[in-house]
Amino acid sequence: MGLIKAAAGAIGSTLKDQWKEAIRCEDLGNDLLMIKKTTPTGVITNKSTIIVGPGQCAVIYDNGRVIDATAEEGVYEFDTSSSPSFFAGDFGKTFKEMWERFTYNGATSKEQAVFYFNTKEILDNKFGTAAPIPFQDWAHPIPNQMTNTITPMRVQIKCFGKYTFKISNPAIFMQELSGTANMYTKDKVIEQIRAEVIAVFQNLVNELGSAKYKVPALEMPSQTDEIRQMMDEMVFDEPVKKRGLSIVAFVVESVTLDDESAKKIDQYELSSNSYMQQGKLVDAYADAVQSAAENSNGAMNGFMGIGMMNMSTNGMVGGAATGPWNGQNTENSRVDMSEKLEETRETPKEENSMEEWDCECGVRNVGKFCRICGKPKKVEKRCSNCNTVNSDDSKFCRECGTKLD
């Protein structure tokens, strides 16, 4: 038994009288993945007409086994005297192996039917990460002065987008999912696909934030090509392929930060802007000092101007241009400045012997104040009676009530 493809124009001539008895399937749409079609008697008679539309694959089923299949659109004649033709296009090898041995849990069915599979791309499937994913954001690097390196800011992100999939192997899909059901819709499998897609996507997100790729968190939606390439390298849809499906397209539409991460980035950018402004003032002072020192005729006037400039900026650079020149001549100023520079070089930094601590803005520091946002180091108070750790502003222990030092 098998299918014989009708010649061109047969619909309007030879098969015209059989048109009403033909087995056919309307468009399957975007939600229907498989549907069973048969005759009122459950038997496909010899010389019956079977019509296959675009984006469809027809599987001929007879008493518990697949006897023929085709994914090529057209009109076919069912001939009980012929051998299977397997006009299956891309699925030819698949259906030939399936025909040789095909059962459903050892049970056989006493019926004949045509199973139509939707081989079009199934669109508009949304995904989203239920919980925030840890991510290393290289768009906000944090310098480490101790090691002279930078590290990415650690944030928590949520990703949202869409993907498409299609039936890539109708034989496996029939064996693993649909079986001989009368109808199989995508809502029966979409949650499982989504869960497997997100599980692998989380690993991919971790890779995007690695030192190899350094993709900024909020720029991830623009990295469609890179993401797709990585998916192919990681065989992203391997769990889905085991069910006869494959992911066709995957797009990250938006990335959001959790509240704590958004706050950290706001503090980072605010601090960065402040330091950039101070850096420009320091450069201006340095240029002014150099110009004043080179001006042999009006050196004192130049230094006096620097002092007035410093007063107008409210000491933003820590009085770098005030003390050395007040009430002294130029030569003494140069000597004093040299001595101060030597003292600075010789005096060991106390910071190096201090314990490191992490600020709320995500920066590691030594000393009493954060070098980025200026917040003071929080000091915990430990109770001498019950050893409970209390906040730095506590006066009495929150457990036993003992007065804290």
Side-chain angles (χ1 to χ4, degrees):
M1 291 181 288
L3 295 174
I4 300 175
K5 191 170 184 179
I11 295 178
S13 57
T14 308
L15 299 179
K16 183 176 181 180
D17 295 335
Q18 304 178 27
W19 183 253
K20 293 181 180 180
E21 299 177 358
I23 298 176
R24 57 186 179 275
C25 177
E26 302 299 332
D27 185 74
L28 294 171
N30 195 59
D31 297 317
L32 189 57
L33 301 182
M34 185 275 287
I35 190 170
K36 180 173 73 173
K37 296 287 186 177
T38 187
T39 63
T41 62
V43 176
I44 304 175
T45 58
N46 190 34
K47 305 301 181 180
S48 294
T49 303
I50 296 174
I51 303 171
V52 181
Q56 295 178 354
C57 174
V59 174
I60 313 302
Y61 177 80
D62 175 59
N63 295 328
R65 64 193 182 102
V66 171
I67 60 173
D68 209 343
T70 177
E72 182 180 346
E73 64 177 284
V75 179
Y76 296 84
E77 182 181 281
F78 180 66
D79 189 348
T80 57
S81 63
S82 65
S83 300
S85 56
F86 295 106
F87 293 130
D90 295 337
F91 307 128
K93 183 179 179 181
T94 297
F95 280 112
K96 189 171 184 179
E97 294 174 355
M98 184 179 180
W99 174 73
E100 291 173 354
R101 182 176 180 83
F102 186 89
T103 60
Y104 296 102
N105 298 324
T108 60
S109 173
K110 296 179 180 179
E111 65 175 346
Q112 292 177 318
V114 180
F115 289 91
Y116 285 92
F117 292 85
N118 190 348
T119 58
K120 298 192 300 294
E121 188 175 0
I122 307 301
L123 309 174
D124 198 30
N125 307 292
K126 299 179 181 180
F127 77 91
T129 53
I133 305 173
F135 188 79
Q136 298 185 100
D137 189 13
W138 288 90
H140 301 90
I142 300 174
N144 188 329
Q145 296 179 352
M146 305 290 291
T147 60
N148 196 28
T149 59
I150 61 172
T151 57
M153 179 183 290
R154 294 186 179 182
V155 296
Q156 300 278 339
I157 63 173
K158 284 187 175 183
C159 301
F160 303 90
K162 293 180 181 179
Y163 66 94
T164 66
F165 71 92
K166 67 185 303 183
I167 297 177
S168 57
N169 192 320
I172 295 178
F173 181 82
M174 192 173 187
Q175 286 178 313
E176 299 294 329
L177 293 177
S178 66
T180 56
N182 291 330
M183 182 182 297
Y184 197 91
T185 55
K186 80 170 184 178
D187 60 350
K188 295 181 180 180
V189 71
I190 195 66
E191 290 301 326
Q192 183 64 32
I193 296 177
R194 183 182 292 115
E196 293 173 347
V197 164
I198 292 177
V200 181
F201 177 68
Q202 289 181 350
N203 296 332
L204 183 141
V205 169
N206 294 334
E207 189 71 15
L208 289 173
S210 66
K212 179 180 179 181
Y213 293 96
K214 296 183 178 181
V215 174
L218 299 181
E219 295 182 15
M220 200 179 300
S222 64
Q223 308 296 317
T224 303
D225 294 338
E226 290 79 359
I227 291 176
R228 186 64 214 183
Q229 181 179 353
M230 290 177 62
M231 287 180 174
D232 293 338
E233 293 174 356
M234 297 171 63
V235 194
F236 176 74
D237 56 354
E238 182 177 5
V240 181
K241 286 183 176 179
K242 293 179 180 179
R243 297 178 176 86
L245 304 169
S246 62
I247 302 297
V248 180
F250 189 94
V251 178
V252 179
E253 293 183 320
S254 65
V255 176
T256 60
L257 301 164
D258 68 351
D259 294 340
E260 188 64 26
S261 299
K263 182 179 178 181
K264 286 168 62 175
I265 290 179
D266 288 343
Q267 291 176 342
Y268 177 97
E269 294 179 348
L270 181 63
S271 301
S272 299
N273 292 335
S274 176
Y275 271 85
M276 288 177 64
Q277 293 173 1
Q278 292 184 29
K280 292 179 180 178
L281 285 173
V282 170
D283 292 341
Y285 278 121
D287 293 340
V289 170
Q290 183 177 1
S291 298
E294 293 174 353
N295 187 356
S296 58
N297 294 327
M300 182 57 66
N301 293 333
F303 284 118
M304 288 176 63
I306 294 171
M308 295 181 67
M309 186 197 311
N310 182 71
M311 291 170 61
S312 66
T313 56
N314 296 320
M316 182 169 287
V317 286
T322 54
W325 299 287
N326 291 340
Q328 299 180 15
N329 58 34
T330 306
E331 287 297 326
N332 290 338
S333 299
R334 292 176 179 173
V335 172
D336 290 346
M337 179 58 73
S338 299
E339 292 176 352
K340 288 182 180 293
L341 290 174
E342 283 299 324
E343 291 175 0
T344 303
R345 294 191 188 98
E346 295 173 359
T347 303
K349 293 183 179 180
E350 296 182 1
E351 289 183 345
N352 294 339
S353 62
M354 293 183 181
E355 183 180 357
E356 293 185 351
W357 57 280
D358 293 325
C359 181
E360 294 178 357
C361 67
V363 178
R364 176 154 291 189
N365 303 276
V366 293
K368 297 180 178 180
F369 299 91
C370 177
R371 54 191 170 82
I372 295 296
C373 67
K375 289 186 177 180
K377 176 183 179 182
K378 288 186 177 181
V379 180
E380 297 176 335
K381 294 182 179 180
R382 188 177 295 276
C383 178
S384 59
N385 181 41
C386 64
N387 206 33
T388 299
V389 176
N390 299 269
S391 60
D392 57 345
D393 58 350
S394 301
K395 295 183 179 180
F396 297 92
C397 178
R398 57 187 172 84
E399 290 294 330
C400 66
T402 301
K403 186 175 182 179
L404 303 173
D405 295 333

